[in-house]
Amino acid sequence: MFPQCGLLAVVDPIPQFNPLVGGRVMARLWELNEGFFNSTRLNHYETLFTVGNGYLGTRGTFEEGHSGCIASTLIHGIYDHAPGMLVPELANAPNWLPVAITVDGTPFQLVTSTSDFMRPPQGVVIGYERTLDIKRGVLRREVLFRAATGAVVRLVFERFASLYDNHLLAQRVLIVAVDGSPTVRLHAFLDAEVMNSTGQHWTAPARVYSNGHGFGLAAETLQSHYRLGMASRLVGPGAITPLPHPTQPGAVAEFTLKQEEAATFDKLTAVFTSRDTDEPLDAAGAALSGAVSDGYDALLAAHEAEWAAYWRDSDIVIEGDDALQAAIRFTTYHILIAAPRHDERVSIGAKTLSGFGYKGHVFWDTELFVLPVFTFSQPKLARNLLMYRYHNLAGARHKAQANGYEGAMFPWESTDTGEETTPQWSDVQPDGSRIRIWTGDHEQHVSTDIAYAAHQYWRWTGDDAFFTQHGAELILDTAVFWGSRAEDKGSRYEISQQIGPDEYHENIDNSVFVNRMVVWHLQTALDVLGWLKQRAPADAARLESALDLSAARLAHWRDIITRMYIPFDTEQAIHVQFPGFFDMEYIPVQAYQPRITSVQAILGHPRTIQSQVIKQADVVALMALLDDQFDVPPGFDRRTVMLNNWNTYYPRTDHGSSLSPAMHALQAARMGMTGVAYDEFDHAAHIDLEDNKGNARDGIHAAACGGVWQAIVLGFCGLHISPAGELVTRPNLPVHWRRVSFTVHYRGERRTITVGHPEGSPAA
Ligand code: BGC
């Protein structure tokens, strides 16, 4: 009855196989491999093995679940601010993964804790391998399982979230009788009993059905009233019967396999929300019918073709460093699966769609760390992300107004409404207290970061249509905000009560990062308006009138540019992160090596914020962003000041944020300090793989993933636009890298660039 297939050799149960002591994942050139089951890292690996398609992300939770698992499917834009919660968050969608299998009555399950050993009847897993095929976006797990009766089956689970049709999710389960003639029960279902770590976001399913091979459900979020429809079908040989359930509708197949016989089942699922259509469940049902008639193999082929195109544009090939080649593919995979492909009203959260960290909120991480990767390699995706901000200008204008300013002041944390969604208080601390979070009030540089990303996109793509209609407005209206925000103190302009990238120092006056970037912003706004007047006068007139870009306002901007206070220590020839910084306690951060936690965690919050310990690149970020435009006061040598800045701030930096190492790598590489650049790059590229921030269970660090891509292209390869408008490289490759190749889109042209060591260098 069932098709034959290749069999694993029947192995003796491996006596030393101890499921509670596992190995570590290995990043290989095109895959992430877990060769030995590791029960101690389950939540970390759930994050790493996430699949996604820019519409949703699903963690690598097992089909059969396990105790303590964090099963989650997060769909872009489906936020909910449920009663009692501090802020809105992405609502964990119903789980499409469950497939429960019993073999001769023994439930198939991995032993994940010692208490699992107590559960009768007992089965034993005697072989295990999990692989994420990064090239094709397919997750596969293969297990040898011996039931209590002694029968051994080989189980192969495969899943992918279709990149071809973002609403389709596919699973395949292969069951092979390796030893004995087991009776197998396979129960596939959808699970609406899902929560976030903070609590419940969905009503009980409004509709639920199980009929024939099909089953589905409709649910609605509690506060935002997004509706979701999910429809599945189990496709396989033999009889399949519906198994109705009020929250877990499903279908069951029961069969007996002769020794060496195999059975293959496909579970196909479609999901829509009311963000896509008025009738999500109907749409899911229709999409599912199409998917079932195409079949798993055709769906897979279409999905693979999309992935091939994705990689053609975004892959970086490093010759001479397989370990980092593997790591950079892994990080690129994760930003590719998070990038919205067909939706310009959503953006990428700080933890992608792979975990509950930061509640799915969007930060500056997107514009400065992730979005540029797409500006260079897949401009269409970058445009989608910029449009998210454009569509949310109303929220930014509202925030400015509510704070007594003009123009558009973007929220530090953003969701679907575009309103400020930063929580004002932290979660409860071990001592029962909550800490006031000031970033939503005072971390205002995000507006400039967005302007920077819009301008960078325009410079690289030459997409004038986008710029005249949308991009210029983003830059100009945020400039209006800063014009109203800068404080005229008589002899100079100042900006008080800020949080720069270094968040250990809150509510400070005259952050050099903020003040200097505001100057950049206002100058860029003036240049943009000048360009519009020449090249798109109707758009210039429209914006002048809509944003009130009067001559007086522009004169005010010029005045701010000329008289802005840029803190600089002429004796040390350095930029001063903010006045008073050096009056605080000096702590030799480097003396705390080796460490796996932040210096802040070691010293405690109160002492750290009264010290010179810096959370992340701040002055260094300023140098990286301004690049050739980074300037120094008259009479000072630019290169000397840059080195002084580096030598001052780098040794004081904690890297308490995952954003820090990649930014340092980029800047160090540009400055020719390849050794330190490589170390920081290596650190950044392994933040999730090695869990070296200790919180990878909460989701992938999107900014680190984007940051390492940029560190290679802009840092080690030194790609930039010359004053003549040519694309040029200024390589500073690590000595053991032979060559690096990547693709960039420059002003409508797709170019493949290969960089080696400069002629005459010892490594050439
Ligand atoms: C960093 C911020 C970042 C946020 C989200 C914080 O720890 O300091 O710069 O935006 O995490 O990733």
Side-chain angles (χ1 to χ4, degrees):
M1 173 163 79
F2 302 120
Q4 288 290 325
C5 69
L7 294 175
L8 272 183
V10 180
V11 290
D12 274 344
I14 308 162
Q16 69 275 27
F17 180 83
N18 180 350
L20 297 178
V21 186
R24 293 189 73 79
V25 292
M26 295 256 306
R28 300 199 177 131
L29 288 185
W30 281 110
E31 70 175 37
L32 183 69
N33 181 278
E34 184 190 21
F36 294 94
F37 174 61
N38 187 337
S39 69
T40 64
R41 303 223 60 96
L42 278 164
N43 294 143
H44 170 200
Y45 291 173
E46 276 180 305
T47 299
L48 303 188
F49 286 103
T50 295
V51 296
N53 56 15
Y55 176 80
L56 56 69
T58 298
R59 286 165 64 82
T61 310
F62 301 143
E63 285 73 4
E64 67 282 8
H66 60 77
S67 54
C69 67
I70 310 175
S72 92
T73 289
L74 299 174
I75 304 177
H76 266 314
I78 303 300
Y79 290 96
D80 185 57
H81 192 169
M85 292 182 188
L86 288 177
V87 288
E89 64 184 339
L90 282 178
N92 188 10
N95 186 6
W96 55 278
L97 296 177
V99 179
I101 293 174
T102 58
V103 180
D104 286 340
T106 309
F108 161 63
Q109 192 126 47
L110 283 141
V111 174
T112 57
S113 69
T114 35
S115 61
D116 285 351
F117 281 116
M118 317 311 288
R119 274 185 300 107
Q122 198 48 259
V124 186
V125 171
I126 51 180
Y128 172 94
E129 184 173 33
R130 177 160 54 162
T131 312
L132 177 61
D133 183 329
I134 281 166
K135 196 172 197 168
R136 302 184 306 134
V138 178
L139 178 60
R140 187 174 197 274
R141 180 169 57 120
E142 186 162 345
V143 182
L144 266 184
F145 179 66
R146 192 184 62 196
T149 55
V152 176
V153 293
R154 173 179 165 234
L155 302 169
V156 182
F157 300 90
E158 218 176 65
R159 78 173 74 139
F160 62 91
S162 173
L163 201 62
Y164 174 74
D165 180 339
N166 291 176
H167 296 281
L168 296 180
L169 309 162
Q171 291 169 273
R172 172 163 277 184
V173 184
L174 168 72
I175 306 162
V176 185
V178 174
D179 198 7
S181 307
T183 297
V184 178
R185 180 176 189 271
L186 182 148
H187 174 201
F189 58 101
L190 297 176
D191 185 4
E193 289 177 27
V194 286
M195 309 256 284
N196 282 57
S197 48
T198 43
Q200 179 75 31
H201 280 293
W202 297 91
T203 58
R207 269 169 73 194
V208 49
Y209 68 87
S210 298
N211 50 36
H213 298 192
F215 42 98
L217 58 86
E220 186 171 323
T221 53
L222 292 173
Q223 167 272 332
S224 50
H225 300 296
Y226 287 118
R227 286 169 296 115
L228 171 142
M230 201 176 253
S232 276
R233 195 164 312 169
L234 182 63
V235 181
I240 292 178
T241 49
L243 193 59
H245 188 280
T247 52
Q248 297 177 329
V252 169
E254 263 191 84
F255 51 92
T256 300
L257 293 173
K258 294 204 193 86
Q259 178 138 344
E260 298 195 2
E261 253 185 346
T264 301
F265 290 84
D266 296 333
K267 180 184 175 192
L268 303 178
T269 301
V271 59
F272 282 78
T273 75
S274 50
R275 291 193 66 255
D276 312 308
T277 169
D278 282 345
E279 297 298 338
L281 189 55
D282 292 350
L288 181 65
S289 302
V292 170
S293 64
D294 290 347
Y296 184 93
D297 292 325
L299 295 175
L300 180 59
H303 167 75
E304 287 172 345
E306 288 295 316
W307 266 105
Y310 238 17
W311 281 116
R312 258 197 306 279
D313 281 330
S314 292
D315 190 26
I316 297 182
V317 178
I318 305 174
E319 292 177 42
D321 196 334
D322 283 357
L324 275 165
Q325 170 74 80
I328 184 78
R329 289 221 173 100
F330 169 80
T331 51
T332 305
Y333 165 85
H334 274 287
I335 53 173
L336 288 175
I337 63 171
R341 285 156 62 85
H342 309 295
D343 192 341
E344 53 176 52
R345 287 180 183 267
V346 295
S347 187
I348 302 175
K351 295 293 181 116
T352 70
L353 296 171
S354 59
F356 297 145
Y358 286 121
K359 304 184 186 305
H361 292 188
V362 180
F363 295 67
W364 73 313
D365 306 36
T366 309
E367 280 75 18
L368 290 195
F369 293 81
V370 183
L371 196 153
V373 175
F374 299 127
T375 291
F376 304 135
S377 71
Q378 304 210 38
K380 201 177 139 285
L381 302 182
R383 188 183 185 283
N384 283 347
L385 296 171
L386 289 169
M387 287 303 291
Y388 163 76
R389 295 297 192 175
Y390 180 80
H391 290 302
N392 283 322
L393 267 168
R397 288 174 179 143
H398 179 234
K399 181 174 176 186
Q401 206 182 25
N403 284 274
Y405 304 118
E406 296 178 90
M409 179 191 192
F410 276 97
W412 176 245
E413 296 186 26
S414 183
T415 56
D416 53 340
T417 60
E419 300 292 332
E420 180 60 76
T421 49
T422 307
Q424 288 200 332
W425 296 95
S426 71
D427 291 333
V428 180
Q429 301 297 294
D431 65 0
S433 67
R434 289 181 188 268
I435 298 174
R436 176 71 164 90
I437 297 173
W438 290 106
T439 48
D441 305 64
H442 297 149
E443 194 147 4
Q444 297 169 2
H445 62 83
V446 60
S447 292
T448 293
D449 307 329
I450 292 166
Y452 185 94
H455 188 251
Q456 184 184 46
Y457 170 85
W458 181 48
R459 279 182 71 220
W460 283 76
T461 61
D463 184 349
D464 291 347
F466 164 81
F467 199 69
T468 51
Q469 294 308 304
H470 313 289
E473 189 169 345
L474 280 173
I475 295 172
L476 290 166
D477 212 17
T478 42
V480 171
F481 157 65
W482 282 118
S484 70
R485 178 67 186 80
E487 301 147 36
D488 190 348
K489 299 279 179 173
S491 61
R492 64 189 187 195
Y493 281 91
E494 299 190 9
I495 304 178
S496 59
Q497 291 285 297
Q498 290 297 302
I499 304 179
D502 167 20
E503 293 178 344
Y504 288 168
H505 298 103
E506 296 170 323
N507 312 338
I508 50 145
D509 297 342
N510 294 309
S511 149
V512 72
F513 178 92
V514 172
N515 289 15
R516 180 62 186 87
M517 287 306 292
V518 167
V519 170
W520 170 88
H521 191 159
L522 295 176
Q523 185 58 58
T524 304
L526 289 170
D527 296 346
V528 161
L529 190 59
W531 181 89
L532 280 177
K533 280 181 176 163
Q534 286 211 328
R535 304 287 292 274
D539 291 306
R542 174 177 56 81
L543 291 171
E544 278 176 321
S545 145
L547 309 181
D548 186 21
L549 304 177
S550 62
R553 190 187 294 282
L554 304 189
H556 179 54
W557 290 0
R558 283 191 202 97
D559 193 32
I560 298 174
I561 292 168
T562 321
R563 294 199 293 121
M564 177 63 87
Y565 173 35
I566 306 293
F568 190 82
D569 179 333
T570 49
E571 249 168 58
Q572 309 290 325
I574 53 166
H575 285 89
V576 176
Q577 190 178 305
F578 59 89
F581 177 80
F582 292 105
D583 300 338
M584 295 183 295
E585 182 189 5
Y586 171 72
I587 291 172
V589 172
Q590 314 264 316
Y592 287 84
Q593 296 289 11
R595 61 186 161 92
I596 48 159
T597 177
S598 67
V599 171
Q600 186 206 31
I602 298 168
L603 300 180
H605 185 67
R607 185 169 168 207
T608 309
I609 62 173
Q610 298 296 337
S611 78
Q612 293 176 35
V613 177
I614 301 168
K615 184 175 185 186
Q616 66 200 81
D618 191 296
V619 175
V620 170
L622 179 65
M623 297 197 289
L625 293 181
L626 291 181
D627 193 17
D628 287 344
Q629 287 175 277
F630 184 76
D631 49 0
V632 297
F636 286 89
D637 173 57
R638 185 172 171 274
R639 169 92 189 152
T640 307
V641 172
M642 289 174 79
L643 279 173
N644 290 350
N645 282 344
W646 177 276
N647 290 332
T648 303
Y649 294 109
Y650 178 61
R652 289 170 165 80
T653 304
D654 185 11
H655 302 301
S657 158
S658 63
L659 279 60
S660 192
M663 187 65 95
H664 278 90
L666 191 163
Q667 184 55 22
R670 269 196 188 143
M671 290 166 67
M673 300 182 296
T674 315
V676 65
Y678 186 80
D679 290 347
E680 293 303 340
F681 175 73
D682 187 49
H683 177 183
H686 289 95
I687 279 176
D688 290 308
L689 282 169
E690 298 292 334
D691 194 14
N692 59 28
K693 293 276 168 234
N695 58 3
R697 69 199 300 277
D698 300 331
I700 289 289
H701 294 82
C705 297
V708 288
W709 202 99
Q710 292 193 64
I712 299 178
V713 170
L714 302 183
F716 292 118
C717 297
L719 185 72
H720 62 281
I721 303 172
S722 76
E726 298 293 322
L727 266 197
V728 281
T729 57
R730 213 186 271 146
N732 274 311
L733 298 189
V735 113
H736 63 290
W737 290 14
R738 287 192 299 280
R739 255 183 309 272
V740 176
S741 309
F742 54 89
T743 301
V744 284
H745 287 250
Y746 182 57
R747 301 193 182 161
E749 229 183 274
R750 188 175 179 281
R751 302 215 202 150
T752 298
I753 294 181
T754 299
V755 170
H757 291 276
E759 295 266 322
S761 79

